[in-house]
Amino acid sequence: MRLRWVHANEALPDPADALDEPSGLLCAGMDLSAPRLIEAYEAGIFPWYSEGQPVLWWSPDPRMVLFCDEFRFHRSLKKRSRVLMRDKAWSLRLNQDFPAVMRACAAPRPGQDGTWITEPMIEAYSQLHLSGRAQSIEVRHGDNLMAGLYGVSIGRMFFGESMFTRLADGSKIALAALVALLVREGFTMIDCQQQTEHLALMGARPIPRQRYLEKIDVLCRLSPPDWSTCQLDWP
């Protein structure tokens, strides 16, 4: 089957039209603007591509999600968090340096060839961040960024994008802090996009795409929180 090309003035296709192989691939194009990203996330679609490729849009079935009340905060992780918390040099920050978190997530990792977080991606998501539609969670030691994650928020739905760490369990602590914050703000689900063992160990699980789409249709319509007043606490 030939992959559909979507021009800037065209709407993205129905997720039901996504390919079975590669699983979830829906269409390609060159538009990575903030309005296009919002359109995509609200429809259960996300971009994922490599440098030198056009923007590839995906909607896998099933879809990996983390229900906030199913998050597994393992005892060893809680112990690690408490150890860091006792040292006042360590801190959790919300939206202190969103582009820096994206660039840290884009850094080369063992076993990976290149990155899908390209400079156009960083620019596009930074624009979403400036409009209040993308957030970063940061674990810092003094001024040094040591771990974190970022994602897109629409209404009361959080779409996780990527995480990184430079210390043991750092990204897990960032995720635990995010989950606690989202629960306080009335969020119930985090989109994890694709199935990974790492996220499954923390409680994420696949659900049918249609169920996922029904849920985000409701959650994205809810009034968003005031992110400027939100506070992070050590988990």
Side-chain angles (χ1 to χ4, degrees), residues 34-216:
R36 176 66 95 191
L37 287 170
I38 294 299
E39 174 200 353
Y41 283 102
E42 289 181 337
I45 303 164
F46 62 88
W48 185 36
Y49 66 103
S50 300
E51 287 187 279
Q53 291 182 328
V55 181
L56 301 178
W57 298 95
W58 302 77
S59 186
D61 187 14
R63 188 70 163 245
M64 193 74 162
V65 301
L66 174 60
F67 291 101
C68 293
D69 62 357
E70 296 180 3
F71 175 66
R72 295 175 189 160
F73 191 39
H74 298 288
R75 184 165 56 184
S76 59
L77 180 58
K78 183 177 292 187
K79 181 178 179 180
R80 177 64 170 157
S81 177
R82 293 289 184 259
V83 169
L84 294 182
M85 183 176 63
R86 286 196 290 268
D87 183 345
K88 299 302 182 183
W90 288 97
S91 64
L92 284 168
R93 292 287 183 266
L94 174 67
N95 294 332
Q96 182 169 316
D97 195 340
F98 182 90
V101 173
M102 283 200 71
R103 287 194 164 85
C105 289
R109 304 183 191 189
Q112 287 188 351
D113 183 16
T115 179
W116 56 273
I117 305 176
T118 62
E119 279 301 318
M121 289 276 278
I122 294 173
E123 181 178 348
Y125 281 81
S126 294
Q127 288 300 313
L128 282 186
H129 170 66
L130 291 175
S131 70
R133 298 290 189 93
Q135 319 301 327
S136 63
I137 308 294
E138 305 159 24
V139 180
R140 292 182 170 272
H141 187 263
D143 292 331
N144 297 315
L145 180 60
M146 300 301 295
L149 60 83
Y150 76 95
V152 174
S153 60
I154 302 175
R156 301 280 165 161
M157 179 64 200
F158 194 88
F159 303 86
E161 276 297 315
S162 187
M163 57 178 64
F164 82 99
T165 190
R166 296 166 180 154
L167 74 153
D169 295 326
S171 60
K172 296 178 183 178
I173 291 171
L175 179 58
L178 171 66
V179 170
L181 171 60
L182 294 181
V183 169
R184 290 198 304 271
E185 296 297 331
F187 290 67
T188 58
M189 188 173 79
I190 301 172
D191 175 31
C192 302
Q193 297 182 348
Q194 304 203 47
Q195 299 182 53
T196 68
E197 182 180 358
H198 172 74
L199 290 169
L201 290 172
M202 303 185 75
R205 58 185 172 92
I207 64 173
R209 179 171 57 208
Q210 185 56 41
R211 183 182 174 206
Y212 169 80
L213 294 175
E214 291 167 358
K215 285 185 170 296
I216 67 169

